[in-house]
Amino acid sequence: TKSTTTVRSHTAVDIGADASLSGDQVTVHAEIIRLAADGDAKSTTLALNSHSEAEAPVDVASGTDIVVRGGAAITAAQRLEIVSRQDGVDTNSHADAKISGGVTGSLKATANNKLNLDSNVDIQAGSKLTAHDVFIQAESPRDASSIWGRDAVANSNTVVTWTLNTVDKLVQVGTKIPFVGWFFKWVHKLVKEWIPKITNSTVDAVYAGSFNSSNSINMDGDIFEGEAISPQLTINADGSLDATGITAQVVGNEVDVSNINAAEFAGSVVLSSPSGAMSGNGTIHNNGAFATVTIVNNSSLDLKINDITSTSLDPAEAGVQIEGDPSQDTSSFSVVSDLGSGQSSPEISIQNNTSS
């Protein structure tokens, strides 16, 4: 008996060259959320000296891929997710060969499970990803014990065969002598009798197949993380406030400007390829820096300025997290700060246009 199970699955997302995607939150997923494949073969024989064979080959190849091609631009005001992963995988090969009925023969049970999983993300050179938080993930399950099963059972009941053999036996022979009685003696005599013989079948349980699971991220594009804004505050002549990226309040005859800190606008970049490969020479732009900070007071109110920190962390300490197998990491990413308009440092301008 042979039961064959074959599965081919491929889920892919291709963001074409020069394509443009934008939104508050942008999610690009290529996912397999459930994949189950089982092979079950059973073979039973009752015939003498027969052959019982069960084979259950299972062959599964599943992949998820995301490609962002050169020239493509994806922009999210808040969060950008690019995820290629596989979950809910369950495969099993079960083969059961049996001989019953008190006869003998040969048995072979083959459990053959071949499982290949592969998940990848490819951010090509010339592409641009922009968001406050950027999350890129490629993941395939690695725990073979929970998703890759093989069960081979070859079961033969012990049987008894009977053969008729001629046996030399020592037997007692009696002779009756008149007036004397019976006289007994031991003599050798050839006799035929049934001899039991315990016989076992030939049993072979075979485990075959392979388990392979891999995932990778290649990042050759540009990632712009955080918010590269230029905070501005204008205090109008009537004391009203127009603000972008700055918090201030009027207290009595004074405008109190809260601390202005670029680190509050810094985002995060996560590149996650658990136990997998990481490659590419892309650039991560830490936009936790202000191009300019401008405060203009057109009123008669006093102006109180507190701390102004126009850059966040050093680029080398930016909020970038990379997860993968170090032995498969060939990446050489650059992390830089964008300070705007080619300036070497942010410009801070405070103008008090009255005599306050």
Side-chain angles (χ1 to χ4, degrees):
T1 301
K2 186 175 182 179
S3 169
T4 301
T5 303
T6 303
V7 176
R8 295 291 181 266
S9 176
H10 186 222
T11 300
V13 176
D14 191 325
I15 308 298
D18 301 320
S20 178
L21 303 177
S22 63
D24 185 59
Q25 299 193 49
V26 177
T27 301
V28 181
H29 283 198
E31 289 186 272
I32 291 176
I33 60 175
R34 176 64 175 160
L35 192 160
D38 293 283
D40 193 354
K42 294 182 180 181
S43 177
T44 302
T45 184
L46 300 174
L48 182 65
N49 295 322
S50 60
H51 178 68
S52 179
E53 182 170 355
E55 183 179 2
V58 174
D59 186 358
V60 176
S62 178
T64 58
D65 289 281
I66 295 178
V67 178
V68 180
R69 300 196 180 275
I74 305 177
T75 303
Q78 297 298 322
R79 180 176 174 87
L80 169 60
E81 280 191 10
I82 298 176
V83 175
S84 173
R85 63 176 293 142
Q86 303 187 60
D87 295 291
V89 178
D90 185 12
T91 64
N92 187 69
S93 171
H94 177 77
D96 188 347
K98 182 169 63 174
I99 291 180
S100 60
V103 295
T104 189
S106 62
L107 292 171
K108 186 176 182 179
T110 303
N112 188 344
N113 189 352
K114 184 179 180 182
L115 177 59
N116 288 285
L117 304 172
D118 190 33
S119 294
N120 307 289
V121 173
D122 183 16
I123 311 298
Q124 296 184 353
S127 62
K128 295 182 179 180
L129 309 179
T130 303
H132 185 273
D133 298 301
V134 178
F135 179 78
I136 301 174
Q137 181 186 63
E139 184 172 5
S140 289
R142 299 302 181 108
D143 184 7
S145 63
S146 63
I147 66 174
W148 180 62
R150 298 176 301 167
D151 185 21
V153 178
N155 185 19
S156 171
N157 294 321
T158 300
V159 298
V160 178
T161 58
W162 294 85
T163 57
L164 185 62
N165 292 342
T166 300
V167 181
D168 182 2
K169 279 196 168 186
L170 186 64
V171 298
Q172 191 178 44
V173 178
T175 304
K176 187 177 182 180
I177 302 175
F179 306 108
V180 175
W182 286 94
F183 175 75
F184 294 92
K185 63 178 180 179
W186 294 92
V187 298
H188 287 275
K189 187 176 181 179
L190 296 176
V191 298
K192 291 184 178 294
E193 64 177 22
W194 290 97
I195 303 297
K197 182 180 180 181
I198 298 177
T199 305
N200 291 317
S201 297
T202 302
V203 175
D204 190 13
V206 179
Y207 293 86
S210 59
F211 173 83
N212 294 290
S213 183
S214 62
N215 42 264
S216 70
I217 292 176
N218 178 68
M219 210 292 284
D220 281 319
D222 285 84
I223 296 176
F224 297 85
E225 60 97 356
E227 298 178 59
I229 68 171
S230 294
Q232 299 180 38
L233 172 64
T234 299
I235 306 165
N236 300 310
D238 61 0
S240 61
L241 307 179
D242 293 328
T244 300
I246 294 178
T247 301
Q249 60 181 339
V250 177
V251 181
N253 197 42
E254 181 180 74
V255 177
D256 188 354
V257 180
S258 301
N259 292 341
I260 304 172
N261 191 348
E264 296 177 3
F265 298 87
S268 64
V269 173
V270 177
L271 303 176
S272 176
S273 178
S275 302
M278 189 73 63
S279 63
N281 300 297
T283 301
I284 299 172
H285 302 255
N286 171 26
N287 281 342
F290 298 141
T292 61
V293 179
T294 304
I295 301 175
V296 178
N297 183 11
N298 293 322
S299 74
S300 61
L301 298 173
D302 293 335
L303 185 61
K304 179 182 179 182
I305 304 295
N306 291 288
D307 293 340
I308 299 178
T309 306
S310 57
T311 60
S312 61
L313 299 174
D314 183 275
E317 300 175 357
V320 178
Q321 177 181 337
I322 298 175
E323 178 183 8
D325 179 358
S327 68
Q328 300 182 65
D329 190 346
T330 61
S331 65
S332 182
F333 302 135
S334 299
V335 181
V336 300
S337 283
D338 294 336
L339 303 182
S341 305
Q343 300 172 10
S344 60
S345 62
E347 176 183 319
I348 301 175
S349 174
I350 302 174
Q351 302 176 34
N352 203 15
N353 295 330
T354 67
S355 60
S356 61

